[in-house]
């Protein structure tokens, strides 16, 4: 399998775009090697339109002690939100009215001029 020589099992309608499929496979291979390291067995496939995707990867085929740890979150706020430590967003402190007063103003009595022009509620 090379850039200009597709394997024998490639369908005839994918042969004209084989260089594009080969390039996508090389990017997939580079990602697997960067993420997991060399030596892992994997299976890839191409759709009828030529898009390459990873079908499975055998993570037990090699020792995982050399795999790089996942990077920490870029934002401490994001890390706190994902871990559940920060259930209330920071912008809540800037809201002018509390939740109880906002609810009371919605369901409270309206001005008489507003009530006179209000539309009736639907039957259903």
């Amino acid at each position: 399998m090379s850039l200009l020589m597709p394997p024998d099992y490639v369908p005839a309608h994918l042969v004209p775009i084989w260089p594009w499929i080969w390039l996508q496979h090389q990017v997939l291979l580079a990602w697997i090697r960067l993420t997991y390291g060399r030596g892992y067995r994997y299976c890839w496939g191409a759709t009828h339109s030529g898009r390459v995707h990873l079908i499975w990867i055998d993570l037990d085929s090699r020792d995982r002690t050399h795999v790089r740890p996942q990077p920490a979150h870029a934002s401490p706020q994001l890390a706190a939100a994902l871990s559940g430590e920060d259930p209330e967003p920071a912008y809540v402190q800037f809201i002018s009215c509390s939740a109880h007063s906002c609810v009371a103003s919605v369901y409270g009595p309206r001005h008489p001029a507003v009530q006179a022009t209000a539309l009736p509620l639907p039957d259903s």
Side-chain angles (χ1 to χ4, degrees):
M1 181 172 80
S2 67
L3 176 62
L4 300 176
M5 292 298 296
D8 295 334
Y9 55 84
V10 173
H13 70 281
L14 292 179
V15 171
I17 59 170
W18 174 252
W20 175 244
I21 295 171
W22 182 82
L23 179 66
Q24 291 180 66
H25 174 257
Q26 294 303 312
V27 170
L28 178 66
L29 179 62
W31 176 80
I32 290 172
R33 287 182 177 173
L34 180 69
T35 305
Y36 299 107
R38 291 180 173 265
Y40 284 97
R41 295 178 58 205
Y42 64 96
C43 182
W44 64 281
T47 62
H48 64 280
S49 61
R51 176 166 278 189
V52 171
H53 59 276
L54 181 65
I55 296 174
W56 61 265
I57 184 167
D58 185 14
L59 295 177
D60 296 331
S61 61
R62 188 166 172 180
D63 186 22
R64 295 192 52 153
T65 57
H66 69 283
V67 175
R68 295 182 305 150
Q70 294 295 326
H73 294 290
S75 166
Q77 291 86 6
L78 177 63
L82 291 175
S83 68
E85 297 172 3
D86 188 21
E88 185 173 291
Y91 65 84
V92 172
Q93 64 183 342
F94 299 111
I95 295 177
S96 61
C97 62
S98 68
H100 298 294
S101 65
C102 289
V103 171
S105 67
V106 169
Y107 293 113
R110 295 183 176 172
H111 191 272
V114 175
Q115 284 183 347
T117 61
L119 297 173
L121 293 175
D123 291 337
S124 60

